[in-house]
Amino acid sequence: MSSVFNANLLAGQHAVITGAGSGINKRIAERFAIQGACISIVGRNAGKCEVAAAEIRALGGTAQGVAADVRDADTLADAFHQASDAFGPIDICIAGAAGNFVAEAATMSTNGFRTVIDIDLIGTFNTFRAALPLLREKRANLLAVSAVQSALPTATQAHVCAAKAGIDMLVRTLSIEWAARGVRCNAIAPGPVADTEGMKRLAPSGEASWRRLLSGIPMRRAAECDEIADLALFLCSGAASYINGTVIAIDGGQSNLGSQQFGDMLLDSLRET
Ligand code: COA
């Protein structure tokens, strides 16, 4: 868990992170804990949240797991109250929970499309709304985990592209509505990230497919979770105190090339299965 930042940038702060039982969001949780924040890990799988929290405690950090599905606004609000009762007002809220699968729009069911909209877009709205009444006055940070698909139309990802584009506009709108409350609201938009559930679902098996995927990225490699965690840390720290309403791509330059290789590779991998 190496970081370019020194410890204690977030001393005494409370960060609530959805979907932090694994992957990028888990690494963000660990990174924020090392920087002195108390962490509430929210996810639909109680056991996974508690294991992730226990791992942070084992590193000397402070963390708790709180179970809730971001699709259920009432349960989520209860979970945020529970988190705040234990660790105090929320300084940082990260909407990281997401769902994805590879499917062509021509055959995807309405429920399949809706499921990703529900988890990603409505889940982000529910998350930020649950946090709002519990936010630390005058200096809170909201961060959404978007994706390159928000700006790059990508074959087999119609549901994800629509959901993530919605997240970007939600963040930009909230950055206007909630700025007077002292809330900053931003998003990060990663491209492929190594060793994550998302990549397991998206990345094809085999060297040739990987090479094809990476040929669409100027830096010719996927991101590391640590690199995503450092961007999240920067945006939620005082170093970014005047950054509000932005969506920052962290994709090795992929957005400058477009997503044709990515989409073609996903289409071919779908047709091969
Ligand atoms: N292709 C086409 N449709 C699919 C699909 C696939 N590979 N996987 C799921 N669906 C459809 C289902 O068929 C269902 O629609 P239907 O009722 O019309 O049949 C709908 O999506 C909901 O599926 P279900 O499995 O009931 O939803 P869930 O709430 O249990 O799971 C998912 C949500 C589908 C997003 C699941 O992939 C998931 O839990 N993902 C979380 C982890 C993840 O994706 N991480 C990576 C983030 S980048």
Side-chain angles (χ1 to χ4, degrees):
M1 283 187 296
S2 62
S3 172
V4 296
F5 294 105
N6 294 322
N8 274 331
L9 275 178
L10 305 178
Q13 298 196 31
H14 177 197
V16 180
I17 307 174
T18 69
S22 61
I24 294 173
N25 303 308
K26 183 176 184 214
R27 189 63 55 84
I28 292 173
E30 292 162 349
R31 176 63 37 91
F32 282 28
I34 288 170
Q35 296 292 333
C38 302
I39 310 294
S40 294
I41 290 176
V42 179
R44 63 182 160 156
N45 182 329
K48 222 167 142 184
C49 293
E50 192 34 57
V51 167
E55 284 175 21
I56 289 175
R57 292 194 296 271
L59 291 171
T62 304
Q64 62 180 343
V66 190
D69 189 323
V70 296
R71 291 173 280 192
D72 182 342
D74 291 339
T75 311
L76 194 64
D78 287 348
F80 273 57
H81 275 283
Q82 202 184 315
S84 185
D85 286 348
F87 287 167
I90 298 168
D91 298 279
I92 295 167
C93 173
I94 300 184
N100 196 351
F101 53 82
V102 178
E104 289 188 67
T107 50
M108 191 188 315
S109 70
T110 300
N111 193 42
F113 190 89
R114 184 190 294 118
T115 298
V116 170
I117 298 287
D118 274 349
I119 298 172
D120 290 34
L121 177 55
I122 298 178
T124 298
F125 176 77
N126 288 342
T127 298
F128 290 162
R129 279 289 298 273
L132 186 64
L134 303 168
L135 291 177
R136 176 93 58 194
E137 266 186 49
K138 294 289 166 205
R139 65 143 216 244
N141 277 295
L142 306 180
L143 185 71
V145 179
S146 183
V148 281
Q149 289 96 319
S150 70
L152 296 182
T154 307
T156 76
Q157 295 283 279
H159 46 336
V160 177
C161 292
K164 297 297 192 184
I167 288 175
D168 291 2
M169 283 308 286
L170 175 66
V171 159
R172 293 172 66 194
T173 306
L174 297 186
S175 75
I176 297 168
E177 285 196 22
W178 295 353
R181 301 168 184 253
V183 177
R184 289 193 295 115
C185 189
N186 293 294
I188 57 176
V193 184
D195 299 325
T196 58
E197 176 67 24
M199 280 313 286
K200 266 184 228 141
R201 285 164 187 266
L202 296 178
S205 51
E207 267 302 305
S209 301
W210 255 106
R211 269 201 307 279
R212 207 168 150 200
L213 171 66
L214 298 182
S215 72
I217 301 173
M219 289 181 73
R220 301 285 187 264
R221 68 173 177 87
E224 302 293 331
C225 284
D226 281 328
E227 293 171 314
I228 310 296
D230 274 339
L231 175 60
L233 177 58
F234 165 68
L235 283 171
C236 294
S237 76
S241 54
Y242 202 57
I243 298 181
N244 185 34
T246 59
V247 180
I248 298 188
I250 173 161
D251 62 2
Q254 184 185 5
S255 2
N256 292 314
L257 286 184
S259 61
Q260 194 173 342
Q261 282 98 328
F262 191 25
D264 284 351
M265 181 276 293
L266 291 171
L267 264 179
D268 287 347
S269 70
L270 191 62
R271 286 166 185 166
E272 278 159 18
T273 53

Short mmCIF file of all heavy atoms in Angstrom, two decimals, residues 1 29-31 33-34 52-62:
data_model
loop_
_atom_site.label_atom_id
_atom_site.label_comp_id
_atom_site.label_asym_id
_atom_site.label_seq_id
_atom_site.Cartn_x
_atom_site.Cartn_y
_atom_site.Cartn_z
N MET A 1 0.83 -1.21 0.00
CA MET A 1 0.00 0.00 0.00
C MET A 1 0.86 1.26 0.00
O MET A 1 0.79 2.08 0.89
CB MET A 1 -0.91 0.00 1.22
CG MET A 1 -2.09 -0.92 1.09
SD MET A 1 -3.20 -0.72 2.46
CE MET A 1 -2.19 -1.25 3.81
N ALA A 29 -10.20 2.97 1.11
CA ALA A 29 -10.47 2.91 2.56
C ALA A 29 -9.18 2.72 3.34
O ALA A 29 -8.92 3.40 4.35
CB ALA A 29 -11.46 1.78 2.86
N GLU A 30 -8.34 1.79 2.87
CA GLU A 30 -7.06 1.53 3.56
C GLU A 30 -6.17 2.77 3.52
O GLU A 30 -5.54 3.14 4.50
CB GLU A 30 -6.36 0.34 2.89
CG GLU A 30 -7.09 -0.98 3.11
CD GLU A 30 -6.67 -2.08 2.12
OE1 GLU A 30 -5.96 -1.78 1.14
OE2 GLU A 30 -7.09 -3.22 2.32
N ARG A 31 -6.13 3.40 2.34
CA ARG A 31 -5.28 4.58 2.17
C ARG A 31 -5.74 5.71 3.10
O ARG A 31 -4.93 6.39 3.74
CB ARG A 31 -5.37 5.03 0.70
CG ARG A 31 -4.64 6.30 0.31
CD ARG A 31 -3.15 6.20 0.48
NE ARG A 31 -2.62 4.90 0.16
CZ ARG A 31 -2.16 4.51 -1.02
NH1 ARG A 31 -2.19 5.34 -2.03
NH2 ARG A 31 -1.67 3.31 -1.20
N ALA A 33 -7.42 5.38 5.88
CA ALA A 33 -7.17 4.99 7.28
C ALA A 33 -5.73 5.29 7.66
O ALA A 33 -5.45 5.81 8.75
CB ALA A 33 -7.47 3.50 7.47
N ILE A 34 -4.80 4.99 6.74
CA ILE A 34 -3.39 5.27 7.00
C ILE A 34 -3.18 6.77 7.20
O ILE A 34 -2.31 7.21 7.95
CB ILE A 34 -2.50 4.74 5.84
CG1 ILE A 34 -2.47 3.23 5.88
CG2 ILE A 34 -1.10 5.31 5.90
CD1 ILE A 34 -1.83 2.61 4.65
N ALA A 52 -13.20 -6.46 5.74
CA ALA A 52 -12.39 -5.31 5.28
C ALA A 52 -12.09 -4.36 6.43
O ALA A 52 -10.97 -3.85 6.56
CB ALA A 52 -13.10 -4.58 4.15
N ALA A 53 -13.09 -4.15 7.30
CA ALA A 53 -12.88 -3.25 8.45
C ALA A 53 -11.87 -3.86 9.42
O ALA A 53 -10.99 -3.17 9.95
CB ALA A 53 -14.21 -2.99 9.15
N ALA A 54 -11.98 -5.17 9.62
CA ALA A 54 -11.05 -5.86 10.54
C ALA A 54 -9.61 -5.76 10.02
O ALA A 54 -8.67 -5.61 10.80
CB ALA A 54 -11.47 -7.31 10.73
N GLU A 55 -9.46 -5.84 8.70
CA GLU A 55 -8.11 -5.73 8.12
C GLU A 55 -7.52 -4.35 8.39
O GLU A 55 -6.33 -4.21 8.67
CB GLU A 55 -8.16 -6.00 6.60
CG GLU A 55 -8.31 -7.49 6.28
CD GLU A 55 -8.47 -7.75 4.78
OE1 GLU A 55 -8.09 -6.90 3.97
OE2 GLU A 55 -9.00 -8.82 4.45
N ILE A 56 -8.34 -3.33 8.32
CA ILE A 56 -7.85 -1.97 8.62
C ILE A 56 -7.50 -1.85 10.09
O ILE A 56 -6.46 -1.27 10.45
CB ILE A 56 -8.92 -0.92 8.22
CG1 ILE A 56 -9.01 -0.84 6.69
CG2 ILE A 56 -8.60 0.45 8.82
CD1 ILE A 56 -10.10 0.08 6.17
N ARG A 57 -8.34 -2.43 10.94
CA ARG A 57 -8.04 -2.38 12.38
C ARG A 57 -6.72 -3.11 12.67
O ARG A 57 -5.92 -2.67 13.49
CB ARG A 57 -9.19 -2.98 13.21
CG ARG A 57 -10.45 -2.12 13.16
CD ARG A 57 -11.44 -2.53 14.25
NE ARG A 57 -11.96 -3.87 14.09
CZ ARG A 57 -13.04 -4.20 13.39
NH1 ARG A 57 -13.75 -3.25 12.80
NH2 ARG A 57 -13.44 -5.45 13.30
N ALA A 58 -6.49 -4.21 11.95
CA ALA A 58 -5.25 -4.97 12.16
C ALA A 58 -4.02 -4.15 11.77
O ALA A 58 -2.92 -4.38 12.28
CB ALA A 58 -5.30 -6.28 11.36
N LEU A 59 -4.21 -3.19 10.86
CA LEU A 59 -3.10 -2.31 10.45
C LEU A 59 -2.92 -1.15 11.43
O LEU A 59 -2.07 -0.29 11.24
CB LEU A 59 -3.37 -1.71 9.06
CG LEU A 59 -3.34 -2.64 7.86
CD1 LEU A 59 -3.84 -1.92 6.61
CD2 LEU A 59 -1.91 -3.16 7.63
N GLY A 60 -3.81 -1.10 12.46
CA GLY A 60 -3.72 -0.01 13.44
C GLY A 60 -4.71 1.10 13.19
O GLY A 60 -4.73 2.12 13.89
N GLY A 61 -5.56 0.95 12.18
CA GLY A 61 -6.54 1.99 11.87
C GLY A 61 -7.85 1.79 12.63
O GLY A 61 -8.00 0.85 13.41
N THR A 62 -8.79 2.70 12.37
CA THR A 62 -10.11 2.63 13.01
C THR A 62 -11.14 2.44 11.91
O THR A 62 -11.21 3.25 10.97
CB THR A 62 -10.40 3.96 13.76
OG1 THR A 62 -9.33 4.18 14.69
CG2 THR A 62 -11.72 3.90 14.50
#
